Amino acid sequence: MRERKGVMTQPSTDFEAWIRRYHQAPSSGVRLVCFPHAGGSASFFFPVSARLSPAVDVAAVQYPGRQDRRAEANIGTIPEMADAVLPAVRALADRPLAFFGHSMGAVLAYEVARRLERDGAEPLARLYVSGRRAPSRHRSEHVHELDDAGLVAELQRLSGTDSSLLGDPEARDMILPAVRSDYHAVETYRHVPGAALRCPVVALVGDRDPQVTRDEALAWAEHSSGPFDLRVFPGGHFYLVEHGPRVIQALADDLAAVRVPSGAGGVAGGAGRTDAAAT
């Protein structure tokens, strides 16, 4: 992997470095932790926070190597990223947690959820996995090995990054190291079998997403003993940008149904295992 010019520091372990909270929601009954896609940043989820607060307390993960963490070294594997963010996420568990991860963020959210359950935490209220095939469904991909032009072409194909930024050499030089590192992390990830999660899992996909088929999305049901739901939206890999209001409303409706008994941290409510297309 290429290394960013200048002196890089090791990723911070401070809670404030990892977690961004854009709106106050002190009386919310559930907290939604959002994990960005490859090359993405916490601010991607600002609209989610704005819409769901104060009913839901939204926290977004900020990976090292981007925005205000540009001086910190990128983390190049999913297990290392999950281990690094785990303490910050654990500190948020004073109320029921739900996770939302898009693309690489879905895999990372899954691995953090596994670690929480391994350490004895209550199951998540929901695990939302967006735009990503199940961990057990592997594809051989090597985007992280492409030159800069090839990497830019891939980003443009998926429409995940503003084309005007990719056309600016200075902005591109700032963006690509984090993107390449994230692609390396997710493309070299291999699922290690173990205990299934116990939380409800909701898979969300675009019906024209080249990164995940319907069957690959349905396979998320194998990774938890809890309820499963598949929701299909019109669009490609970044369907959630084009249809942001619909996706966020679906989250709002779903999280409003979470019922937590007084004094308990577990989850009640939730549908059975279903396969339903969004309309």
Side-chain angles (χ1 to χ4, degrees), residues 108-146:
L108 182 58
Y110 166 73
E111 285 294 341
V112 175
R114 294 181 88 186
R115 284 158 171 75
L116 286 174
E117 286 201 12
R118 175 201 66 193
D119 294 344
E122 291 290 335
L124 298 176
R126 300 287 189 275
L127 172 62
Y128 297 101
V129 287
S130 169
R132 183 68 190 180
R133 56 192 172 273
S136 56
R137 299 300 187 266
H138 174 68
R139 294 187 192 182
S140 181
E141 297 174 313
H142 305 278
V143 173
H144 70 278
E145 297 177 353
L146 298 175

Side-chain angles (χ1 to χ4, degrees), residues 48-270:
V48 178
S49 177
R51 169 62 182 84
L52 295 184
S53 298
V56 177
D57 184 37
V58 178
V61 174
Q62 183 76 307
Y63 306 140
R66 62 216 72 198
Q67 292 187 334
D68 57 338
R69 302 189 72 184
R70 285 195 304 273
E72 298 178 45
N74 296 299
I75 300 177
T77 75
I78 295 296
E80 288 177 305
M81 293 177 73
D83 289 342
V85 73
L86 181 62
V89 173
R90 189 185 288 119
L92 294 169
D94 60 325
R95 68 191 74 182
L97 293 179
F99 287 176
F100 183 100
H102 181 65
S103 196
M104 180 192 78
V107 179
L108 182 58
Y110 166 73
E111 285 294 341
V112 175
R114 294 181 88 186
R115 284 158 171 75
L116 286 174
E117 286 201 12
R118 175 201 66 193
D119 294 344
E122 291 290 335
L124 298 176
R126 300 287 189 275
L127 172 62
Y128 297 101
V129 287
S130 169
R132 183 68 190 180
R133 56 192 172 273
S136 56
R137 299 300 187 266
H138 174 68
R139 294 187 192 182
S140 181
E141 297 174 313
H142 305 278
V143 173
H144 70 278
E145 297 177 353
L146 298 175
D147 60 15
D148 286 354
L151 191 54
V152 168
E154 176 66 11
L155 294 177
Q156 292 173 329
R157 181 179 77 93
L158 296 178
S159 302
T161 303
D162 189 337
S163 295
S164 64
L165 293 177
L166 295 175
D168 180 88
E170 186 174 349
R172 189 170 60 242
D173 287 346
M174 288 192 297
I175 293 169
L176 290 188
V179 172
R180 189 179 301 281
S181 178
D182 287 352
Y183 267 94
H184 176 273
V186 74
E187 290 180 344
T188 59
Y189 170 77
R190 299 294 182 270
H191 181 252
V192 178
L197 294 173
R198 294 180 291 140
C199 61
V201 175
V202 181
L204 304 93
V205 297
D207 60 5
R208 299 187 304 278
D209 188 349
Q211 298 298 98
V212 53
T213 66
R214 187 184 187 90
D215 286 344
E216 289 172 329
L218 284 169
W220 277 103
E222 303 168 8
H223 293 277
S224 178
S225 60
F228 175 78
D229 189 11
L230 173 65
R231 301 178 187 177
V232 182
F233 293 83
H237 190 58
F238 280 91
Y239 73 91
L240 71 175
V241 174
E242 183 180 357
H243 300 289
R246 290 176 58 187
V247 175
I248 296 172
Q249 186 60 53
L251 294 178
D253 294 343
D254 194 49
L255 291 173
V258 173
R259 295 291 181 267
V260 181
S262 177
V267 177

